[in-house]
PDB file of all heavy atoms in Angstrom:
ATOM      1  N   SER A   1       2.610   6.182  14.350  1.00 98.00           N
ATOM      2  CA  SER A   1       1.948   7.257  15.056  1.00 98.00           C
ATOM      3  C   SER A   1       2.535   8.495  14.533  1.00 98.00           C
ATOM      4  O   SER A   1       3.809   8.654  14.498  1.00 98.00           O
ATOM      5  CB  SER A   1       2.073   7.135  16.517  1.00 98.00           C
ATOM      6  OG  SER A   1       1.349   8.201  17.209  1.00 98.00           O
ATOM      7  N   VAL A   2       1.682   9.520  14.195  1.00 98.00           N
ATOM      8  CA  VAL A   2       2.183  10.807  13.703  1.00 98.00           C
ATOM      9  C   VAL A   2       1.262  11.914  14.190  1.00 98.00           C
ATOM     10  O   VAL A   2       0.084  11.711  14.485  1.00 98.00           O
ATOM     11  CB  VAL A   2       2.191  10.766  12.140  1.00 98.00           C
ATOM     12  CG1 VAL A   2       0.823  10.630  11.546  1.00 98.00           C
ATOM     13  CG2 VAL A   2       2.986  12.022  11.647  1.00 98.00           C
ATOM     14  N   GLN A   3       1.840  13.096  14.282  1.00 98.00           N
ATOM     15  CA  GLN A   3       1.035  14.245  14.694  1.00 98.00           C
ATOM     16  C   GLN A   3       0.208  14.760  13.549  1.00 98.00           C
ATOM     17  O   GLN A   3       0.510  14.569  12.365  1.00 98.00           O
ATOM     18  CB  GLN A   3       1.968  15.386  15.189  1.00 98.00           C
ATOM     19  CG  GLN A   3       2.701  15.059  16.516  1.00 98.00           C
ATOM     20  CD  GLN A   3       2.027  15.757  17.599  1.00 98.00           C
ATOM     21  OE1 GLN A   3       2.179  17.036  17.797  1.00 98.00           O
ATOM     22  NE2 GLN A   3       1.349  15.011  18.499  1.00 98.00           N
ATOM     23  N   SER A   4      -0.873  15.431  13.872  1.00 98.00           N
ATOM     24  CA  SER A   4      -1.703  15.997  12.847  1.00 98.00           C
ATOM     25  C   SER A   4      -0.872  16.940  11.931  1.00 98.00           C
ATOM     26  O   SER A   4      -0.101  17.730  12.438  1.00 98.00           O
ATOM     27  CB  SER A   4      -2.865  16.792  13.469  1.00 98.00           C
ATOM     28  OG  SER A   4      -3.728  17.410  12.440  1.00 98.00           O
ATOM     29  N   GLY A   5      -1.037  16.788  10.654  1.00 98.00           N
ATOM     30  CA  GLY A   5      -0.237  17.559   9.683  1.00 98.00           C
ATOM     31  C   GLY A   5       0.953  16.838   9.204  1.00 98.00           C
ATOM     32  O   GLY A   5       1.617  17.299   8.228  1.00 98.00           O
ATOM     33  N   GLY A   6       1.292  15.791   9.802  1.00 98.00           N
ATOM     34  CA  GLY A   6       2.488  14.986   9.417  1.00 98.00           C
ATOM     35  C   GLY A   6       2.201  14.089   8.227  1.00 98.00           C
ATOM     36  O   GLY A   6       1.171  14.054   7.617  1.00 98.00           O
ATOM     37  N   SER A   7       3.230  13.316   7.872  1.00 98.00           N
ATOM     38  CA  SER A   7       3.163  12.471   6.676  1.00 98.00           C
ATOM     39  C   SER A   7       3.598  11.010   7.052  1.00 98.00           C
ATOM     40  O   SER A   7       4.466  10.813   7.930  1.00 98.00           O
ATOM     41  CB  SER A   7       3.999  12.962   5.561  1.00 98.00           C
ATOM     42  OG  SER A   7       3.547  14.262   5.144  1.00 98.00           O
ATOM     43  N   LEU A   8       3.114  10.038   6.298  1.00 98.00           N
ATOM     44  CA  LEU A   8       3.536   8.658   6.304  1.00 98.00           C
ATOM     45  C   LEU A   8       3.433   8.164   4.954  1.00 98.00           C
ATOM     46  O   LEU A   8       2.651   8.557   4.145  1.00 98.00           O
ATOM     47  CB  LEU A   8       2.686   7.865   7.264  1.00 98.00           C
ATOM     48  CG  LEU A   8       2.808   8.004   8.771  1.00 98.00           C
ATOM     49  CD1 LEU A   8       1.669   7.164   9.482  1.00 98.00           C
ATOM     50  CD2 LEU A   8       4.177   7.558   9.209  1.00 98.00           C
ATOM     51  N   ARG A   9       4.315   7.140   4.605  1.00 98.00           N
ATOM     52  CA  ARG A   9       4.206   6.369   3.413  1.00 98.00           C
ATOM     53  C   ARG A   9       4.079   4.931   3.694  1.00 98.00           C
ATOM     54  O   ARG A   9       4.960   4.335   4.307  1.00 98.00           O
ATOM     55  CB  ARG A   9       5.488   6.615   2.527  1.00 98.00           C
ATOM     56  CG  ARG A   9       5.283   5.909   1.143  1.00 98.00           C
ATOM     57  CD  ARG A   9       6.482   6.132   0.225  1.00 98.00           C
ATOM     58  NE  ARG A   9       7.565   5.289   0.594  1.00 98.00           N
ATOM     59  CZ  ARG A   9       8.580   4.924  -0.193  1.00 98.00           C
ATOM     60  NH1 ARG A   9       8.516   5.395  -1.481  1.00 98.00           N
ATOM     61  NH2 ARG A   9       9.543   4.170   0.157  1.00 98.00           N
ATOM     62  N   LEU A  10       2.915   4.412   3.289  1.00 98.00           N
ATOM     63  CA  LEU A  10       2.677   2.964   3.461  1.00 98.00           C
ATOM     64  C   LEU A  10       3.120   2.208   2.311  1.00 98.00           C
ATOM     65  O   LEU A  10       3.057   2.660   1.147  1.00 98.00           O
ATOM     66  CB  LEU A  10       1.197   2.697   3.614  1.00 98.00           C
ATOM     67  CG  LEU A  10       0.465   3.466   4.820  1.00 98.00           C
ATOM     68  CD1 LEU A  10      -1.039   3.034   4.858  1.00 98.00           C
ATOM     69  CD2 LEU A  10       1.149   3.326   6.102  1.00 98.00           C
ATOM     70  N   SER A  11       3.621   0.997   2.477  1.00 98.00           N
ATOM     71  CA  SER A  11       4.088   0.065   1.438  1.00 98.00           C
ATOM     72  C   SER A  11       3.278  -1.211   1.467  1.00 98.00           C
ATOM     73  O   SER A  11       2.923  -1.718   2.483  1.00 98.00           O
ATOM     74  CB  SER A  11       5.549  -0.223   1.595  1.00 98.00           C
ATOM     75  OG  SER A  11       6.311   0.989   1.428  1.00 98.00           O
ATOM     76  N   CYS A  12       3.037  -1.812   0.333  1.00 97.00           N
ATOM     77  CA  CYS A  12       2.409  -3.075   0.148  1.00 97.00           C
ATOM     78  C   CYS A  12       3.256  -3.955  -0.746  1.00 97.00           C
ATOM     79  O   CYS A  12       3.371  -3.717  -1.869  1.00 97.00           O
ATOM     80  CB  CYS A  12       1.001  -2.970  -0.363  1.00 97.00           C
ATOM     81  SG  CYS A  12       0.163  -4.492  -0.697  1.00 97.00           S
ATOM     82  N   ALA A  13       3.913  -5.001  -0.141  1.00 95.00           N
ATOM     83  CA  ALA A  13       4.687  -5.871  -0.955  1.00 95.00           C
ATOM     84  C   ALA A  13       3.742  -7.004  -1.470  1.00 95.00           C
ATOM     85  O   ALA A  13       3.099  -7.635  -0.687  1.00 95.00           O
ATOM     86  CB  ALA A  13       5.791  -6.473  -0.059  1.00 95.00           C
ATOM     87  N   VAL A  14       3.742  -7.260  -2.753  1.00 92.00           N
ATOM     88  CA  VAL A  14       2.899  -8.229  -3.414  1.00 92.00           C
ATOM     89  C   VAL A  14       3.727  -9.428  -3.921  1.00 92.00           C
ATOM     90  O   VAL A  14       4.758  -9.286  -4.515  1.00 92.00           O
ATOM     91  CB  VAL A  14       2.240  -7.590  -4.648  1.00 92.00           C
ATOM     92  CG1 VAL A  14       1.234  -8.597  -5.218  1.00 92.00           C
ATOM     93  CG2 VAL A  14       1.531  -6.295  -4.253  1.00 92.00           C
ATOM     94  N   SER A  15       3.252 -10.616  -3.543  1.00 90.00           N
ATOM     95  CA  SER A  15       3.958 -11.784  -4.040  1.00 90.00           C
ATOM     96  C   SER A  15       2.918 -12.893  -4.366  1.00 90.00           C
ATOM     97  O   SER A  15       1.705 -12.689  -4.171  1.00 90.00           O
ATOM     98  CB  SER A  15       4.848 -12.351  -2.915  1.00 90.00           C
ATOM     99  OG  SER A  15       4.104 -12.719  -1.770  1.00 90.00           O
ATOM    100  N   GLY A  16       3.362 -13.935  -5.061  1.00 84.00           N
ATOM    101  CA  GLY A  16       2.467 -14.949  -5.592  1.00 84.00           C
ATOM    102  C   GLY A  16       2.172 -14.649  -7.037  1.00 84.00           C
ATOM    103  O   GLY A  16       3.027 -14.007  -7.728  1.00 84.00           O
ATOM    104  N   TYR A  17       1.089 -15.103  -7.565  1.00 74.00           N
ATOM    105  CA  TYR A  17       0.797 -14.924  -8.973  1.00 74.00           C
ATOM    106  C   TYR A  17       0.282 -13.565  -9.327  1.00 74.00           C
ATOM    107  O   TYR A  17       0.200 -13.168 -10.465  1.00 74.00           O
ATOM    108  CB  TYR A  17      -0.178 -16.065  -9.467  1.00 74.00           C
ATOM    109  CG  TYR A  17      -1.497 -16.054  -8.846  1.00 74.00           C
ATOM    110  CD1 TYR A  17      -2.554 -15.230  -9.298  1.00 74.00           C
ATOM    111  CD2 TYR A  17      -1.801 -17.008  -7.822  1.00 74.00           C
ATOM    112  CE1 TYR A  17      -3.761 -15.272  -8.708  1.00 74.00           C
ATOM    113  CE2 TYR A  17      -3.108 -17.017  -7.252  1.00 74.00           C
ATOM    114  CZ  TYR A  17      -4.029 -16.145  -7.744  1.00 74.00           C
ATOM    115  OH  TYR A  17      -5.323 -16.176  -7.120  1.00 74.00           O
ATOM    116  N   MET A  18      -0.116 -12.857  -8.284  1.00 71.00           N
ATOM    117  CA  MET A  18      -0.494 -11.467  -8.468  1.00 71.00           C
ATOM    118  C   MET A  18       0.812 -10.586  -8.429  1.00 71.00           C
ATOM    119  O   MET A  18       1.792 -10.959  -7.867  1.00 71.00           O
ATOM    120  CB  MET A  18      -1.447 -10.970  -7.390  1.00 71.00           C
ATOM    121  CG  MET A  18      -2.746 -11.587  -7.492  1.00 71.00           C
ATOM    122  SD  MET A  18      -3.773 -11.101  -8.894  1.00 71.00           S
ATOM    123  CE  MET A  18      -4.070  -9.324  -8.405  1.00 71.00           C
ATOM    124  N   ASP A  19       0.715  -9.384  -9.035  1.00 71.00           N
ATOM    125  CA  ASP A  19       1.744  -8.428  -8.935  1.00 71.00           C
ATOM    126  C   ASP A  19       1.180  -7.080  -8.894  1.00 71.00           C
ATOM    127  O   ASP A  19       0.033  -6.860  -9.061  1.00 71.00           O
ATOM    128  CB  ASP A  19       2.729  -8.608 -10.086  1.00 71.00           C
ATOM    129  CG  ASP A  19       2.102  -8.433 -11.469  1.00 71.00           C
ATOM    130  OD1 ASP A  19       1.667  -7.250 -11.771  1.00 71.00           O
ATOM    131  OD2 ASP A  19       2.114  -9.316 -12.222  1.00 71.00           O
ATOM    132  N   SER A  20       2.086  -6.103  -8.605  1.00 72.00           N
ATOM    133  CA  SER A  20       1.525  -4.752  -8.441  1.00 72.00           C
ATOM    134  C   SER A  20       1.001  -4.113  -9.742  1.00 72.00           C
ATOM    135  O   SER A  20       0.531  -2.967  -9.650  1.00 72.00           O
ATOM    136  CB  SER A  20       2.689  -3.891  -7.795  1.00 72.00           C
ATOM    137  OG  SER A  20       3.728  -3.753  -8.671  1.00 72.00           O
ATOM    138  N   GLY A  21       1.230  -4.717 -10.841  1.00 72.00           N
ATOM    139  CA  GLY A  21       0.726  -4.216 -12.094  1.00 72.00           C
ATOM    140  C   GLY A  21      -0.771  -4.486 -12.285  1.00 72.00           C
ATOM    141  O   GLY A  21      -1.411  -3.957 -13.230  1.00 72.00           O
ATOM    142  N   ASN A  22      -1.340  -5.328 -11.464  1.00 85.00           N
ATOM    143  CA  ASN A  22      -2.787  -5.502 -11.405  1.00 85.00           C
ATOM    144  C   ASN A  22      -3.481  -4.354 -10.743  1.00 85.00           C
ATOM    145  O   ASN A  22      -2.806  -3.465 -10.263  1.00 85.00           O
ATOM    146  CB  ASN A  22      -3.147  -6.912 -10.804  1.00 85.00           C
ATOM    147  CG  ASN A  22      -2.780  -8.068 -11.639  1.00 85.00           C
ATOM    148  OD1 ASN A  22      -3.450  -8.329 -12.576  1.00 85.00           O
ATOM    149  ND2 ASN A  22      -1.721  -8.755 -11.347  1.00 85.00           N
ATOM    150  N   CYS A  23      -4.829  -4.393 -10.691  1.00 93.00           N
ATOM    151  CA  CYS A  23      -5.480  -3.355  -9.963  1.00 93.00           C
ATOM    152  C   CYS A  23      -5.347  -3.494  -8.448  1.00 93.00           C
ATOM    153  O   CYS A  23      -5.534  -4.561  -7.916  1.00 93.00           O
ATOM    154  CB  CYS A  23      -7.021  -3.449 -10.326  1.00 93.00           C
ATOM    155  SG  CYS A  23      -7.377  -2.930 -11.968  1.00 93.00           S
ATOM    156  N   MET A  24      -4.839  -2.356  -7.907  1.00 95.00           N
ATOM    157  CA  MET A  24      -4.572  -2.414  -6.479  1.00 95.00           C
ATOM    158  C   MET A  24      -5.300  -1.287  -5.750  1.00 95.00           C
ATOM    159  O   MET A  24      -5.706  -0.315  -6.387  1.00 95.00           O
ATOM    160  CB  MET A  24      -3.047  -2.198  -6.238  1.00 95.00           C
ATOM    161  CG  MET A  24      -2.139  -3.198  -6.964  1.00 95.00           C
ATOM    162  SD  MET A  24      -2.354  -4.877  -6.396  1.00 95.00           S
ATOM    163  CE  MET A  24      -1.734  -4.675  -4.675  1.00 95.00           C
ATOM    164  N   ALA A  25      -5.448  -1.417  -4.492  1.00 97.00           N
ATOM    165  CA  ALA A  25      -6.153  -0.356  -3.712  1.00 97.00           C
ATOM    166  C   ALA A  25      -5.734  -0.393  -2.257  1.00 97.00           C
ATOM    167  O   ALA A  25      -5.128  -1.324  -1.802  1.00 97.00           O
ATOM    168  CB  ALA A  25      -7.673  -0.574  -3.837  1.00 97.00           C
ATOM    169  N   TRP A  26      -6.023   0.660  -1.600  1.00 98.00           N
ATOM    170  CA  TRP A  26      -5.903   0.847  -0.139  1.00 98.00           C
ATOM    171  C   TRP A  26      -7.175   1.099   0.418  1.00 98.00           C
ATOM    172  O   TRP A  26      -7.965   1.975  -0.022  1.00 98.00           O
ATOM    173  CB  TRP A  26      -4.881   1.977   0.182  1.00 98.00           C
ATOM    174  CG  TRP A  26      -3.441   1.630  -0.103  1.00 98.00           C
ATOM    175  CD1 TRP A  26      -2.782   1.977  -1.248  1.00 98.00           C
ATOM    176  CD2 TRP A  26      -2.559   1.015   0.790  1.00 98.00           C
ATOM    177  NE1 TRP A  26      -1.475   1.505  -1.060  1.00 98.00           N
ATOM    178  CE2 TRP A  26      -1.356   0.963   0.198  1.00 98.00           C
ATOM    179  CE3 TRP A  26      -2.654   0.433   2.088  1.00 98.00           C
ATOM    180  CZ2 TRP A  26      -0.172   0.361   0.721  1.00 98.00           C
ATOM    181  CZ3 TRP A  26      -1.601  -0.156   2.650  1.00 98.00           C
ATOM    182  CH2 TRP A  26      -0.304  -0.174   1.896  1.00 98.00           C
ATOM    183  N   PHE A  27      -7.466   0.375   1.534  1.00 98.00           N
ATOM    184  CA  PHE A  27      -8.722   0.612   2.282  1.00 98.00           C
ATOM    185  C   PHE A  27      -8.298   0.906   3.703  1.00 98.00           C
ATOM    186  O   PHE A  27      -7.202   0.621   4.134  1.00 98.00           O
ATOM    187  CB  PHE A  27      -9.589  -0.721   2.273  1.00 98.00           C
ATOM    188  CG  PHE A  27     -10.321  -0.913   0.961  1.00 98.00           C
ATOM    189  CD1 PHE A  27      -9.620  -1.333  -0.161  1.00 98.00           C
ATOM    190  CD2 PHE A  27     -11.645  -0.711   0.831  1.00 98.00           C
ATOM    191  CE1 PHE A  27     -10.214  -1.563  -1.392  1.00 98.00           C
ATOM    192  CE2 PHE A  27     -12.331  -0.938  -0.367  1.00 98.00           C
ATOM    193  CZ  PHE A  27     -11.632  -1.356  -1.519  1.00 98.00           C
TER     194      PHE A  27
END
């Protein structure tokens, strides 16, 4: 939770045969 105007950084840890070098996205 953050106030309007604030910042957050989301992280996505990838495991298995995929890795972060493939095409990735946030929805």
Side-chain angles (χ1 to χ4, degrees):
S1 182
V2 66
Q3 292 259 287
S4 181
S7 298
L8 285 173
R9 188 179 74 159
L10 306 183
S11 298
C12 174
V14 184
S15 62
Y17 62 83
M18 292 290 293
D19 60 65
S20 64
N22 287 284
C23 288
M24 307 292 298
W26 287 93
F27 287 73

